[in-house]
Amino acid sequence: MINNYNDLSGSQIANVIYIIIVIALIAFGFSRKEMPVKLILKYTIIWIAIILFVIVLYSFRYEFGDVKNRVSTELFPSKAVIKNHEQIIIAISADGHFYINLKVNNKNIRFMIDTGASETVIDKKIAKDIGIDFGNIYYDKIFKTANGQVRGASINIDEIDVSGMKFYNVEASITESDLSVPLLGMSFLKRFYKYEFYREKLILTL
């Protein structure tokens, strides 16, 4: 058991010494006021409890941050949570799909994430909103939809901002038909090292 003391780092030993000094100063301060011993002990214990409570809060600061992020994703499923600057976490919505609020060329747009779609697809209205020049597009592909075939045009989106995490020159397509919600497909998701589904969350990892 003696070896456990050897495992303490210099900073840990310094913290222990600091706490002991603080407790000693508190006890000394009360004793100078000629208080009864029981009252001194009472106030000393209260201050020790306060110090320990602060230490516990500080020790679990990262865990409390995770709790905050978890609550945020549950209340606002479309709001992406960034973890350690390398993961994007999206909660499942009530309809069983994953939605995400993105800033596309500085315009706020809500996408549905579709891992089965090879491309990121927007319609002409959204394309106009984000500043796509229709004079330079060419409908070079065909999409098969539930309502039949529609033409699509290849474009590059200058910037997609996910809660401050930015991606540039993202391949996408404009479809001639109107979309109830644009699709965020593999042309964007391939920017990530992996994606995985875990406990009703979609986790994108760089």
Side-chain angles (χ1 to χ4, degrees):
M1 298 298 294
I2 296 176
N3 292 333
N4 290 337
Y5 292 100
N6 296 330
D7 294 336
L8 292 174
S9 66
S11 60
Q12 289 173 324
I13 293 173
N15 288 336
V16 172
I17 294 173
Y18 174 75
I19 291 170
I20 292 172
I21 292 173
V22 169
I23 293 171
L25 288 174
I26 291 171
F28 178 74
F30 285 130
S31 66
R32 295 280 292 176
K33 297 180 180 180
E34 297 181 352
M35 291 182 177
V37 174
K38 288 185 178 180
L39 198 57
I40 292 173
L41 288 175
K42 176 183 175 181
Y43 285 124
T44 301
I45 290 171
I46 290 173
W47 276 104
I48 290 172
I50 292 172
I51 292 170
L52 290 176
F53 180 71
V54 172
I55 291 172
V56 169
L57 286 180
Y58 181 77
S59 300
F60 286 92
R61 61 194 183 281
Y62 299 116
E63 286 78 2
F64 289 137
D66 290 339
V67 170
K68 181 197 72 173
N69 290 337
R70 188 173 300 176
V71 171
S72 177
T73 56
E74 294 298 334
L75 293 176
F76 311 101
S78 299
K79 184 180 183 299
V81 172
I82 308 299
K83 184 176 181 181
N84 299 329
H85 302 287
E86 62 180 18
Q87 285 187 329
I88 298 174
I89 303 173
I90 308 104
I92 195 169
S93 293
D95 63 1
H97 295 290
F98 291 90
Y99 298 92
I100 184 170
N101 296 325
L102 303 177
K103 187 170 285 187
V104 182
N105 292 351
N106 287 320
K107 295 290 184 179
N108 294 317
I109 301 173
R110 182 173 182 255
F111 282 80
M112 183 176 76
I113 299 175
D114 187 353
T115 58
S118 59
E119 300 192 39
T120 294
V121 183
I122 61 176
D123 59 20
K124 291 186 290 185
K125 181 181 182 302
I126 292 176
K128 184 178 179 180
D129 288 343
I130 65 174
I132 298 297
D133 182 3
F134 281 84
N136 293 324
I137 68 170
Y138 172 69
Y139 289 95
D140 56 351
K141 59 186 66 176
I142 299 294
F143 292 121
K144 293 181 180 180
T145 70
N147 298 321
Q149 294 183 339
V150 295
R151 295 191 303 167
S154 299
I155 61 169
N156 284 330
I157 297 174
D158 293 335
E159 180 184 287
I160 291 181
D161 185 330
V162 187
S163 299
M165 190 178 290
K166 297 183 179 182
F167 302 84
Y168 300 97
N169 198 31
V170 178
E171 296 176 1
S173 294
I174 302 173
T175 177
E176 282 188 312
S177 63
D178 293 333
L179 297 174
S180 57
V181 59
L183 301 178
L184 194 68
M186 292 306 299
S187 62
F188 175 76
L189 299 178
K190 69 181 182 182
R191 299 289 185 100
F192 296 87
Y193 170 69
K194 67 176 180 178
Y195 66 85
E196 58 187 326
F197 300 94
Y198 179 71
R199 291 184 178 179
E200 298 188 335
K201 302 285 192 300
L202 173 60
I203 303 173
L204 309 176
T205 304
L206 288 172

